[in-house]
């Protein structure tokens, strides 16, 4: 049973599911909205952010195809963050009460949902670890090694603007550019406009 394979889901849940198309820049939900649904991204890319005092934006997740968004909706009255499509995207919308009922009654679905949560926790741990690395070039190198590890190769392809990658890492675009030049000068990477190859660099 799998949240992306709709035919495998319980009939009651399957009948409650709808799809939603988002244009680039369109909000899926806003921080403070009533939490009514959980989402799985079918295509595209969605950024999940929380706004703190002073409207500072804290990036919590960059969701790609197959990723879940807003699991907190199942256990909260409101969404504590916002989600915005970075590109044209399509999401599967799971109404909260129907999904909770299906999880309670289907161990396979509950296991699939827990596995999704574990992957998200691991991603958050990596983000915290990266933010603790002070030197920009070292933080960037660790980030690249993680990306290569997940892809099981030494080439990291970017499908997002570098300014967005910089924001993920807590950098300005200028800081990211300097860190890339430093790694290239030190022989740690080679790069083209949208891909980077790690040179003799073990996975993290």
């Amino acid at each position: 049973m799998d949240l992306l394979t709709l035919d495998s889901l319980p009939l009651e849940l399957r009948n409650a599911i709808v799809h939603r198309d988002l244009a680039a820049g369109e909000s899926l939900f806003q921080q403070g909205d009533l939490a009514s649904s959980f989402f799985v991204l079918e295509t595209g890319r969605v950024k999940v952010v929380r706004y703190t005092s002073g409207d500072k934006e804290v990036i919590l997740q960059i969701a790609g195809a197959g990723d879940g968004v807003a699991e907190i909706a199942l256990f909260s009255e409101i969404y504590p963050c916002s989600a915005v499509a970075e590109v044209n995207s399509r999401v599967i919308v799971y109404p909260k009460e129907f999904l909770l009922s299906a999880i309670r009654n289907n161990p396979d679905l509950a296991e699939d949902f827990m596995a999704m949560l574990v992957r998200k926790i691991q991603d958050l741990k990596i983000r915290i670890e990266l933010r603790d690395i002070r030197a920009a070039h070292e933080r960037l190198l660790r980030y690249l090694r993680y990306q290569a590890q997940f892809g099981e190769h030494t080439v990291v392809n970017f499908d997002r603007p570098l300014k967005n990658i910089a924001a993920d890492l807590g950098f300005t675009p200028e800081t990211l550019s300097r860190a890339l030049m430093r790694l290239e000068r030190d022989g740690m990477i080679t790069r083209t406009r949208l891909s980077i190859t790690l040179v003799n660099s073990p996975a993290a």
Side-chain angles (χ1 to χ4, degrees), residues 14 26 43 55 74 94 109 133 136 153 178 181 188 201:
R14 191 162 71 241
E26 184 177 352
T43 62
D55 285 333
L74 301 188
Y94 294 84
L109 180 59
I133 300 174
H153 49 58
R178 288 194 296 270
M181 288 190 289
M188 303 299 294
S201 182

Side-chain angles (χ1 to χ4, degrees), residues 21-99:
D21 293 309
L22 301 169
E26 184 177 352
S27 293
L28 179 58
F29 55 82
Q30 291 284 345
Q31 186 170 318
D33 285 353
L34 186 66
S36 59
S37 300
F38 164 72
F39 311 90
V40 173
L41 197 59
E42 202 167 43
T43 62
R45 189 172 62 245
V46 168
K47 177 173 67 173
V48 180
V49 298
R50 180 171 173 80
Y51 297 99
T52 62
S53 57
D55 285 333
K56 182 179 179 182
E57 184 181 277
V58 179
I59 298 173
L60 302 178
Q61 180 188 12
I62 301 297
D67 289 338
V69 175
E71 294 87 349
I72 188 65
L74 301 188
F75 310 104
S76 175
E77 293 299 316
I78 62 170
Y79 294 112
C81 51
S82 299
V84 181
E86 287 196 334
V87 298
N88 293 343
S89 304
R90 182 175 173 86
V91 298
I92 308 170
V93 182
Y94 294 84
K96 176 178 182 173
E97 296 307 323
F98 287 93
L99 180 56

Side-chain angles (χ1 to χ4, degrees), residues 145-201:
R145 286 175 173 172
Y146 276 127
Q147 298 303 311
Q149 180 183 29
F150 294 147
E152 297 183 351
H153 49 58
T154 59
V155 178
V156 179
N157 294 305
F158 293 123
D159 60 353
R160 305 168 63 219
L162 288 181
K163 67 178 182 179
N164 291 351
I165 303 297
D168 288 354
L169 291 168
F171 296 158
T172 64
E174 294 76 17
T175 299
L176 176 61
S177 179
R178 288 194 296 270
L180 284 167
M181 288 190 289
R182 167 77 179 269
L183 293 178
E184 194 169 27
R185 186 177 68 244
D186 291 349
M188 303 299 294
I189 64 171
T190 61
R191 58 174 171 146
T192 61
R193 190 172 69 88
L194 290 176
S195 69
I196 292 175
T197 300
L198 292 162
V199 178
N200 297 324
S201 182

